[in-house]
Amino acid sequence: MENSSSQGANQNRTSAQNLHGDILENPLQTYLLGIIISICGNVLISISLNIQKYVHIRQAQRGSQPYYTSVVWWFGLTLMGVGELGNFAAYGFAPASLIAPLGCVSVIASAVISVALLKEAVRPSDIVGGTLAITGTYLLVTFAPHSTSHITAQLVRYHFISWPFLLYILIEVVAFCILLYLYKSRNVKHVVVVMLLVALLASVTVISVKAVSGMITESIRGQLQLIYPIFYVMLIIMIASCAFQIKFLNQAMQMFNATEVVPINFVFFTASAIIAGIVFYQEFEGLALLNIFMFLFGCLLSFLGVFLIARNRPKIKQQDHNFIAMDRIPVTRSTDKVQPEATAQTSLAARLMCNKAGQTDD
């Protein structure tokens, strides 16, 4: 009886080792391809954001048609779609714990492009932050895990029901419910609370995105994975987690300044993606201690660089708001007439109408 149970355990352990052994053999060219795709995608996203910002500024200054009527704005939006698609594809070639921190490339490129396109001033913190972020990116690429799994339906299903992931997702669900209770019921509107909600959702998003992207990549290579139910389960999880993540992120942007949201979101998102890669895809398994330390040090430099670049960014100059619209001019009501009371900031047209009304009353 004991022999049969031990043999069954050995067989399960052997099958798991064989599964990982077949999957972990990935050429270096594929790893580098994932890095290049991710960097190009992040650069396109930064170009897109600056183009859209340029259109918003130009349309506001001219007082012309809405931004969505501009061909340039739609071109920028298209670039963003291509960049996001590139990031999605990169998860199928490189570890998630590497692709997520490479998001700092978008912040660096955006700071450079804004100087050339939007004529923003270069600050000393931009130079220091860019240097730190570039150094951190180099350490990330150098010391990150250089072997990634061929994501198949069998591998995703194996990890999906493993006890480390079940324990991890249980902790995430409990933490999410507590934070959601504080945010909704207790009305705790703190930036850390909202960004933690985004980060917990982002962790699930990273796991599902890598699973879907990897299975699509394997299908293109000739091993069809789209016939397995686990593919559609991960696809639904990806769409749902992305939708709620965007919802909470938009609420954070409405309540807090971008200089707070951008660096905190980058730090929390990167940390959650690394933890997800470690727990679900076991990306740090067999990695040397020096590599782990240098990788985390590279993340720290990237975090600090993004914080220095994002903090106290110059705000867009708004139009003069001294003009008071005619429908908002204060009035005093009497028994038989209404007489406008123009203030010192009322426009010339409003003043003329007030004088005319006074002469008529006399």
Side-chain angles (χ1 to χ4, degrees):
M1 189 76 176
E2 292 180 357
N3 292 333
S4 61
S5 61
S6 61
Q7 288 177 358
N10 291 331
Q11 288 177 356
N12 292 333
R13 195 160 44 243
T14 303
S15 61
Q17 291 175 353
N18 291 335
L19 181 64
H20 285 280
D22 293 337
I23 290 169
L24 290 176
E25 294 177 359
N26 204 26
L28 184 61
Q29 291 81 357
T30 305
Y31 170 82
L32 294 177
L33 179 61
I35 295 175
I36 294 172
I37 292 175
S38 178
I39 291 176
C40 293
N42 284 305
V43 171
L44 287 177
I45 291 173
S46 62
I47 295 174
S48 165
L49 292 174
N50 279 275
I51 289 177
Q52 294 180 64
K53 185 177 180 181
Y54 169 78
V55 173
H56 284 297
I57 296 174
R58 187 185 64 178
Q59 300 292 84
Q61 291 175 347
R62 294 179 179 178
S64 56
Q65 297 177 345
Y67 63 89
Y68 51 80
T69 61
S70 173
V71 178
V72 178
W73 184 85
W74 283 104
F75 174 71
L77 187 64
T78 303
L79 287 182
M80 175 173 285
V82 175
E84 293 292 355
L85 184 61
N87 270 335
F88 174 80
Y91 280 99
F93 297 97
S97 55
L98 174 61
I99 298 301
L102 285 179
C104 67
V105 173
S106 177
V107 180
I108 300 171
S110 182
V112 174
I113 295 170
S114 64
V115 174
L117 183 62
L118 304 177
K119 308 302 180 183
E120 293 184 359
V122 180
R123 305 169 303 163
S125 59
D126 293 335
I127 299 175
V128 176
T131 303
L132 291 176
I134 292 173
T135 305
T137 302
Y138 172 77
L139 294 178
L140 289 172
V141 173
T142 304
F143 294 99
H146 284 190
S147 60
T148 184
S149 304
H150 289 289
I151 307 300
T152 61
Q154 291 82 358
L155 178 67
V156 174
R157 186 169 58 243
Y158 171 79
H159 287 306
F160 196 78
I161 60 175
S162 62
W163 72 264
F165 174 69
L166 294 178
L167 178 61
Y168 172 74
I169 202 66
L170 176 62
I171 295 174
E172 277 215 343
V173 170
V174 173
F176 186 85
C177 292
I178 294 174
L179 291 170
L180 191 62
Y181 171 76
L182 294 175
Y183 178 62
K184 293 292 186 181
S185 299
R186 293 297 181 179
N187 201 31
V188 180
K189 306 297 184 182
H190 195 278
V191 61
V192 174
V193 173
V194 185
M195 299 318 297
L196 280 175
L197 288 170
V198 175
L200 292 175
L201 290 168
S203 177
V204 179
T205 302
V206 168
I207 292 174
S208 57
V209 164
K210 184 171 178 61
V212 173
S213 177
M215 284 188 277
I216 292 176
T217 302
E218 290 301 312
S219 299
I220 295 174
R221 288 173 176 170
Q223 298 181 1
L224 186 61
Q225 305 294 317
L226 309 185
I227 59 175
Y228 297 98
I230 190 64
F231 171 81
Y232 299 97
V233 171
M234 301 305 286
L235 181 63
I236 294 173
I237 294 175
M238 180 187 72
I239 295 173
S241 60
C242 281
F244 284 102
Q245 184 182 341
I246 293 172
K247 174 185 176 181
F248 285 114
L249 188 58
N250 285 331
Q251 292 179 2
M253 293 296 290
Q254 292 174 354
M255 292 186 293
F256 311 103
N257 294 329
T259 54
E260 294 179 278
V261 175
V262 170
I264 295 177
N265 179 59
F266 175 72
V267 172
F268 284 6
F269 173 79
T270 302
S272 64
I274 293 173
I275 295 174
I278 293 174
V279 174
F280 193 88
Y281 294 104
Q282 302 177 4
E283 293 177 344
F284 278 27
E285 187 176 6
L287 196 65
L289 185 61
L290 176 63
N291 287 55
I292 296 176
F293 174 79
M294 295 303 294
F295 177 84
L296 295 178
F297 183 64
C299 288
L300 180 61
L301 291 180
S302 299
F303 295 161
L304 183 58
V306 169
F307 173 76
L308 290 176
I309 294 173
R311 73 180 187 126
N312 298 329
R313 296 300 301 176
K315 296 182 179 180
I316 302 173
K317 292 183 179 180
Q318 302 293 335
Q319 293 180 326
D320 187 12
H321 293 288
N322 289 334
F323 176 78
I324 299 179
M326 291 296 298
D327 58 345
R328 296 190 179 183
I329 297 177
V331 298
T332 56
R333 298 184 181 275
S334 62
T335 57
D336 56 348
K337 61 184 176 180
V338 177
Q339 181 180 359
E341 295 181 352
T343 63
Q345 295 179 341
T346 308
S347 64
L348 179 60
R351 290 179 181 177
L352 291 175
M353 293 187 66
C354 290
N355 293 334
K356 185 177 179 180
Q359 294 174 0
T360 304
D361 293 336
D362 291 339

